[in-house]
Amino acid sequence: TEKGGRFTRIGERCLVMSGVHVGHDCTIDDGAVISTAAGLAGHVEVGEGAIIGGQSGIKQRVRIGPGAMVGGKSAVLADVLPFTLVAGNPAQTHGLNLVGLRRRGAQKEEIRRLQDALRFILNGHQAAAACPKA
């Protein structure tokens, strides 16, 4: 669309599996993985290295942060913070994507600080269960 820049962009080293729908005016950054039968509505932004599980649906104008992971069969209705793990219908934050952070070389102290920040952002909502120990 004219407002969206009139193009959909898929970055380098992405893995887009079979049956995926990528809507108009989407941006998928480098290294993202979109698993089988996932659907992205228009104007969705997927950050670098993010993973979207199979059969998940992403509502229009939602941003999936870099390094985030969306569990399979999730319905994502709101933005997903970077390096978090979300799942469910509707998707809820279940903590940090610890595997993704470790693969990127994050140290224990960095992960601990990120967990503290996530707890602060969630402001007690789901916070007790959301951030398992690194």
Side-chain angles (χ1 to χ4, degrees):
T1 63
E2 192 169 323
K3 277 186 169 181
R6 295 186 180 193
F7 68 94
T8 292
R9 186 185 80 75
I10 299 176
E12 298 179 9
R13 301 175 323 279
C14 291
L15 178 56
V16 180
M17 296 183 187
S18 65
V20 168
H21 171 79
V22 178
H24 62 89
D25 302 307
C26 289
T27 301
I28 302 171
D29 287 342
D30 296 343
V33 176
I34 305 175
S35 299
T36 302
L40 281 62
H43 302 273
V44 168
E45 297 176 25
V46 179
E48 181 182 352
I51 299 171
I52 298 175
Q55 299 180 341
S56 293
I58 314 297
K59 182 180 173 255
Q60 67 184 25
R61 300 190 188 282
V62 164
R63 294 175 295 177
I64 308 295
M69 181 166 192
V70 175
K73 296 187 178 184
S74 294
V76 182
L77 307 177
D79 291 350
V80 176
L81 294 170
F83 299 103
T84 57
L85 171 62
V86 302
N89 183 1
Q92 295 182 357
T93 303
H94 291 277
L96 291 175
N97 179 5
L98 296 174
V99 172
L101 284 165
R102 289 182 184 127
R103 285 180 181 165
R104 289 178 179 233
Q107 302 299 310
K108 278 190 170 190
E109 182 58 26
E110 293 171 301
I111 292 172
R112 189 194 61 75
R113 282 189 243 133
L114 287 170
Q115 288 172 324
D116 290 345
L118 182 60
R119 284 188 189 99
F120 179 80
I121 291 168
L122 294 176
N123 196 23
H125 305 290
Q126 311 168 20
C131 298
K133 297 287 184 208

